[in-house]
Amino acid sequence: MRQSDLRLRQVHLDFHTHQSITGIGKDFKPEEFADTLEKARVNSINLFARCHHGYVYYRSKAFAHIVHPHLEGDLLREQIKALHARGIRTPIYITVKWDQLTADAHPEWRILDENGVPRGTPLNAAGFYRPLCLNSPYVPWLKSFVQDVLDNLPVDGLWFDIVFPDACSCRFCRREMIERGMDPANAADRDRLALEVIDRFRLDMTCFVRKTNQDCQIIYNAGHVGPAIRSSVAAFTHLELESLPGGGWGYLHFPVTARYARTLGLDILGMTGKFHTSWGDFHSFKNQAALEYECFTSVAQTAACSVGDQLHPDGKLCPHTYRLIGSVYRQIEAREPWLTGAKAATEIGVFTPEEFETHMSGHTGISRAVQGATRILQEGQHQFDILDSRANLNGYKLLILPDCIPLAPRLARRLEAFVSKGGALLLTFCSGLDPEGRDFALPQMGVRFLGEARFEPDFVIPEGALGAGLPDTEHVMYRRGAHVKAVGRGKVLAQVVAPFFNRTWRHFCSHQHAPSSRKPVYPAAVRNGRVIYLTHPVFEGYALHSPLWYKRLVLNAIDMLLPEPMVRIHGPSTLTSSVTYQRKERRHLLHLLHYIPLRRGEAFEVIEEATPLVDLPVSVKVAQPVKRVVCQPEGTELEFSSSGDRIEFRVPALKGYQIVALENRSA
């Protein structure tokens, strides 16, 4: 698949259907089905060959025994034929690790925990979450099914689902660990093999598919994309980021994963859902403003869009669902000339702690430190990517190491070279320590590590440029920081002030913690040239408590290291911005969004309406001359002025989402 082939307006049509339900596809009408999708401006849709229940939805001769017992007609084949006639792509969905039929028929293929107990849904509980081991004879069986699909259906793409690592103690995994000198009783060895098994499966399955089909899209979905994917990224044609606001992901998951995934060299797609909660929420509907926000956020981060739906067993699409999807996709379609081929323009790289975690995260797991960093930078209108230690650092002006990024020798050398070439660093708390946690690995930091701080909490008195916008008095720092000493040319920017004592049964004060003793004890912030170090875990703290002074300290430190940021906007912190660039058209695009998620219920955030803004002053730094500033797709030209390489203008009205094109060509 060529990168330009990724369609921007997609649907993922779930179809997990129990064997007791009759009349599967009985109301399916090919032309009605295709017409509904075409009117909703959908140009690619994932359709089901085999679901989590284990059933097949086309008339397979080789796998007739697992065709759904109540399938009427040849549903998948008829769906594909009708949609291809309209130019709509139809990647084919195949479940991988969750398959109730196969798990029941072959319990010896199931993943076992360290005690030999099958993982997943208990025997007498509802659910098909009984993962199969991809180091077992299940894989040859799965390949035979994939071959049947390739041989008997037109294949635009293959969408393999539930392909994430699970530590396994089945006999096949234990045998491999023993043969390779690994210890099946060691959790780290089990995790290591699990990651190797997933990588091996992805790479091998792609090679297998390519023997029959050289061009189809290939995706392996794991519910999360992070640094662990890098070792098998060659198996993918693009990356799809499943990230629904419900279901455990939340509204912060996509901004983190998109900023990481787009650095891996493949096109990306953001997948949300039409559901009010998450997958399988039949007959529920997302608020239109929420779906707009989710899809507009995708394209603003250079991703295509996919909206998850679930087909009714009778094969008939819900008209209201596709009126909802169409209301958003028509807006995306109108903006496609300013979206196609666009790449992110960024100047800050934020390292993710995920790479350095010693255990496998859950399918939606992102660390608090990177959550806090993402929130602060978004609220400060900064343009940034999320990086791992193997990322290309060229082009970034500032790198941020939030709270817990250890520096092995290779990464330390890369960062030293980055600073020596004029780059800037912001590090916090334990970031910068060697992997053993003994001392800082970067001489440019200008600090020596003495251990953990003596007090929790303690206080910081903001001073000078670091304290801009904050009163010059004590500010509580809720989590224990690091005890450091400034060395060499390290200049102390702010001091830690001790409380009277730590709270214990022997001495405590008031409801929470003791007040300030007014006594400075050690540095809170140190600067050495283009490197600033803050001693507290401010990013994790912002994710937990969101103190305004944490954000202000971080943004002030960034201002000191990056005095001319790419974007300046005088607007509320709920406004988000991103900058993309279309090389062929020679234009930068500023994407502005203002939707405010609110936690109206206990479970997750919702959006009911866009919140309009008026008369927004904007300043954008670009490296090329600008001849026109135009609101798109409306075509409204804005007056602007130039000051050096900064372009300044005012956006008269923002009603949810606006693209502002900074064009190098005259009309």
Side-chain angles (χ1 to χ4, degrees):
M1 184 194 86
R2 299 186 305 276
Q3 287 197 343
S4 60
D5 287 345
L6 186 62
R7 301 284 178 90
L8 279 180
R9 293 169 274 117
Q10 301 197 26
V11 161
H12 181 90
L13 192 62
D14 251 23
F15 197 55
H16 305 292
T17 309
H18 193 265
Q19 64 268 25
S20 65
I21 298 178
T22 60
I24 305 303
K26 68 181 179 65
D27 292 331
F28 174 75
K29 296 179 176 59
E31 290 306 305
E32 178 184 83
F33 183 77
D35 196 48
T36 299
L37 292 169
E38 187 175 54
K39 286 180 178 177
R41 311 315 296 151
V42 174
N43 54 15
S44 182
I45 181 168
N46 299 333
L47 301 172
F48 270 47
R50 182 166 130 260
C51 75
H52 291 336
H53 290 281
Y55 289 106
V56 171
Y57 299 98
Y58 67 97
R59 291 299 174 187
S60 169
K61 294 179 181 178
F63 292 89
H65 59 294
I66 57 172
V67 171
H68 195 287
H70 303 294
L71 179 67
E72 298 188 10
D74 197 351
L75 182 61
L76 176 58
R77 195 183 309 273
E78 293 175 24
Q79 289 174 324
I80 293 172
K81 182 179 178 181
L83 296 180
H84 278 185
R86 307 287 185 104
I88 299 173
R89 276 211 183 129
T90 57
I92 294 173
Y93 175 101
I94 299 173
T95 191
V96 175
K97 291 177 68 174
W98 292 346
D99 178 337
Q100 184 180 2
L101 270 181
T102 304
D104 290 347
H106 293 279
E108 73 278 13
W109 294 353
R110 287 185 61 180
I111 286 176
L112 305 182
D113 68 15
E114 65 274 18
N115 299 312
V117 177
R119 287 190 185 274
T121 306
L123 183 62
N124 294 314
F128 35 54
Y129 315 108
R130 301 182 175 102
L132 295 158
C133 180
L134 299 183
N135 204 21
S136 74
Y138 170 59
V139 173
W141 182 93
L142 179 62
K143 283 183 174 179
S144 67
F145 178 76
V146 172
Q147 190 65 58
D148 190 65
V149 169
L150 291 167
D151 290 344
N152 291 288
L153 294 166
V155 178
D156 296 331
L158 292 172
W159 212 93
F160 295 106
D161 197 14
I162 316 302
V163 191
F164 47 73
D166 269 311
C168 181
S169 296
C170 75
R171 62 189 175 96
F172 307 105
C173 288
R174 288 177 60 83
R175 181 174 64 198
E176 179 173 347
M177 283 190 276
I178 293 168
E179 289 173 351
R180 294 175 55 187
M182 301 166 74
D183 182 3
N186 183 285
D189 280 357
R190 294 195 299 272
D191 284 353
R192 194 180 92 192
L193 182 66
L195 291 169
E196 291 180 11
V197 165
I198 284 295
D199 287 343
R200 189 164 65 205
F201 171 80
R202 290 169 177 156
L203 294 165
D204 177 62
M205 181 60 80
T206 293
C207 287
F208 176 79
V209 170
R210 290 297 181 229
K211 292 176 183 177
T212 302
N213 188 317
Q214 293 294 314
D215 301 316
C216 70
Q217 299 176 7
I218 300 177
I219 276 294
Y220 301 91
N221 184 52
H224 176 67
V225 173
I229 205 172
R230 185 182 279 276
S231 50
S232 60
V233 74
F236 295 74
T237 54
H238 63 287
L239 298 172
E240 299 201 8
L241 315 179
E242 182 183 10
S243 190
L244 283 65
W249 288 274
Y251 272 123
L252 199 58
H253 181 264
F254 177 78
V256 172
T257 53
R259 285 181 167 93
Y260 175 75
R262 70 190 183 195
T263 70
L264 297 177
L266 298 178
D267 282 349
I268 63 173
L269 176 148
M271 178 186 288
T272 184
K274 71 91 182 181
F275 314 102
H276 180 66
T277 59
S278 191
W279 297 107
D281 187 2
F282 285 104
H283 310 294
S284 73
F285 305 99
K286 179 161 289 175
N287 300 328
Q288 180 175 330
L291 190 60
E292 288 177 351
Y293 172 71
E294 291 153 28
C295 291
F296 296 160
T297 297
S298 281
V299 297
Q301 297 300 330
T302 70
C305 302
S306 179
V307 178
D309 181 26
Q310 183 147 348
L311 184 64
H312 191 278
D314 64 16
K316 189 177 181 66
L317 294 171
C318 169
H320 179 76
T321 293
Y322 287 88
R323 283 195 292 270
L324 170 63
I325 292 172
S327 71
V328 178
Y329 274 3
R330 279 187 286 276
Q331 297 181 68
I332 297 290
E333 185 177 34
R335 290 166 169 81
E336 283 192 16
W338 298 275
L339 304 174
T340 303
K343 301 299 179 185
T346 58
E347 57 187 351
I348 298 175
V350 179
F351 283 89
T352 174
E354 186 176 339
E355 176 183 5
F356 306 101
E357 294 173 348
T358 57
H359 61 282
M360 292 187 296
S361 297
H363 81 287
T364 61
I366 52 175
S367 75
R368 288 196 182 107
V370 83
Q371 289 181 46
T374 298
R375 283 195 185 280
I376 289 174
L377 292 176
Q378 282 190 158
E379 291 166 11
Q381 309 304 331
H382 286 291
Q383 308 305 308
F384 64 103
D385 290 323
I386 306 292
L387 309 178
D388 62 25
S389 65
R390 295 169 61 184
N392 185 344
L393 304 182
N394 293 333
Y396 297 110
K397 297 177 181 178
L398 170 65
L399 299 177
I400 297 177
L401 283 68
D403 294 355
C404 49
I405 307 296
L407 296 187
R410 182 176 179 273
L411 181 55
R413 289 193 298 269
R414 295 187 70 205
L415 294 181
E416 285 186 51
F418 178 80
V419 174
S420 69
K421 293 176 183 177
L425 295 179
L426 174 61
L427 307 95
T428 61
F429 189 42
C430 289
S431 288
L433 289 173
D434 59 44
E436 292 75 31
R438 295 171 303 192
D439 204 352
F440 292 109
L442 276 180
Q444 292 101 320
M445 290 176 65
V447 288
R448 179 175 300 152
F449 182 67
L450 301 179
E452 69 175 12
R454 297 196 300 273
F455 301 103
E456 183 183 30
D458 53 23
F459 311 93
V460 170
I461 298 180
E463 301 177 44
L466 187 66
L470 295 172
D472 57 350
T473 186
E474 291 93 332
H475 289 69
V476 63
M477 308 302 287
Y478 294 105
R479 302 294 293 275
R480 191 184 301 271
H483 182 192
V484 304
K485 176 182 178 181
V487 296
R489 296 183 178 180
K491 177 185 177 183
V492 176
L493 300 177
Q495 293 275 6
V496 168
V497 176
F500 282 102
F501 39 70
N502 285 330
R503 186 178 180 90
T504 72
W505 69 270
R506 293 181 183 275
H507 38 62
F508 58 90
C509 182
S510 191
H511 297 287
Q512 293 197 50
H513 56 79
S516 166
S517 69
R518 313 291 195 197
K519 297 176 182 178
V521 283
Y522 33 74
V526 176
R527 180 173 188 174
N528 182 27
R530 290 186 297 277
V531 182
I532 292 178
Y533 168 72
L534 307 179
T535 63
H536 291 88
V538 289
F539 293 109
E540 179 179 357
Y542 194 72
L544 283 169
H545 307 297
S546 300
L548 180 59
W549 56 96
Y550 280 36
K551 176 168 67 172
R552 194 70 263 156
L553 289 169
V554 170
L555 294 179
N556 287 344
I558 292 173
D559 286 345
M560 296 167 72
L561 296 170
L562 190 65
E564 287 293 328
M566 189 180 298
V567 175
R568 290 194 187 114
I569 303 175
H570 296 289
S573 62
T574 47
L575 173 70
T576 61
S577 67
S578 60
V579 179
T580 60
Y581 182 67
Q582 290 176 305
R583 184 176 301 276
K584 181 180 178 182
E585 292 82 2
R586 296 169 60 194
R587 63 189 175 202
H588 285 83
L589 295 312
L590 174 67
H591 302 256
L592 301 172
L593 288 99
H594 196 234
Y595 296 81
I596 304 178
L598 297 174
R599 193 169 287 267
R600 297 176 186 266
E602 293 184 3
F604 51 86
E605 295 174 314
V606 297
I607 298 172
E608 285 196 4
E609 59 270 319
T611 305
L613 296 174
V614 296
D615 196 27
L616 278 176
V618 177
S619 172
V620 182
K621 184 179 180 182
V622 293
Q624 65 183 35
V626 171
K627 296 182 178 179
R628 294 202 314 154
V629 176
V630 190
C631 289
Q632 298 292 8
E634 299 85 359
T636 305
E637 289 201 36
L638 303 180
E639 293 184 1
F640 70 96
S641 61
S642 301
S643 178
D645 54 2
R646 301 203 73 89
I647 306 299
E648 298 179 349
F649 54 92
R650 303 180 85 89
V651 177
L654 172 61
K655 300 176 182 178
Y657 177 43
Q658 183 65 64
I659 298 175
V660 182
L662 282 65
E663 300 184 349
N664 185 239
R665 297 171 177 170
S666 300

